[in-house]
Amino acid sequence: MENSVPLHVCHVNKMSIIINRSHAILHSIAILFLIHYRLSFFFQHPQNITIPTLPWLLIFVSELLLYLAWLLSQSHRWRPVYRTVFPERLPADDKLPAIDVYICTADPKKEPSVEVMNTVISAMALDYPPEKLHVYVSDDAGSDATLRCTKEAWNFARYWVPFCRKYGLVTACPDVYFSSSEDGFKGSSDFKAERKKIEEKYEVLKQRIRRIVQESHTDVAANNKLDHSSIIEVISEHHKEKDEVKIPMLVYVSRKKRLSRHHNFKAGALNVLVCHF
């Protein structure tokens, strides 16, 4: 393997280790004494027991559960570390590996489609070479509403991704960005005007998504989420105009499902994505 400089360095915080482990040992000793005290109650002579046994037993079981929860929480305190990263050492874009982002959804009637599409848009706005970034929306319900919402999200991403690239936005999620105070170009009139236009487009996007989902609620001919054929659609193929800024590929996927075969829910959907894409 070629010698290369590391992208990060791991540092062990020795002082935190001493403090955390000392506290864990002392706390464990105290717990052992308390367990011994609780258990000794049950081995007393019946004539010496003045407290009802059932409340004592319930308290003891509750404390054991709390002890177990505390013990499991010590794993990340036993050896605390911190890392120093070196983003400037990353290889050139042409040497970076391709990345597939899987976003799973199951039912537009139960899962908020606006939030799901925000996740899709955020994934497409990742700071990564667009030709090596592929986003897959796995719809386990095979819903026409989710497909239409995905197309709407892609149309908005054509404006949102260039906006993020141009101004180097840290927050890639439009819903979080427009509801926060992040504004790195407060003195730029061009930025404010463009931001306002993008925000207006986002409000239109939310209205369209909600209308699509609402229409699917009243559609009696909606797809059967437990019995449908497979669907694979590359969303960008339907757009003929050439964008100034290239955006990642977005693919809508819905696996084949039949009532006679167990589908294993979202885990089964992920298996299909991993095995076939």
Side-chain angles (χ1 to χ4, degrees), residues 101-116:
V101 180
Y102 299 150
I103 300 172
C104 295
T105 181
D107 192 344
K109 298 179 181 179
K110 296 180 180 180
E111 297 178 345
S113 296
V114 173
E115 281 75 4
V116 173

Side-chain angles (χ1 to χ4, degrees), residues 28 137 162 272:
S28 299
V137 178
V272 172

Side-chain angles (χ1 to χ4, degrees), residues 5-26:
V5 292
L7 297 178
H8 66 88
V9 177
C10 180
H11 307 277
V12 179
N13 195 329
K14 296 183 179 180
M15 182 58 65
S16 296
I17 287 181
I18 296 174
I19 296 174
N20 292 350
R21 293 186 180 182
S22 300
H23 173 266
I25 293 172
L26 293 175

Side-chain angles (χ1 to χ4, degrees), residues 179-202:
S179 61
S180 66
S181 58
E182 180 182 343
D183 192 353
F185 298 82
K186 294 181 179 179
S188 173
S189 58
D190 293 339
F191 168 76
K192 292 181 179 179
E194 192 169 351
R195 185 186 189 276
K196 185 177 181 180
K197 290 181 180 179
I198 298 296
E199 188 172 7
E200 291 174 353
K201 291 181 182 295
Y202 178 64

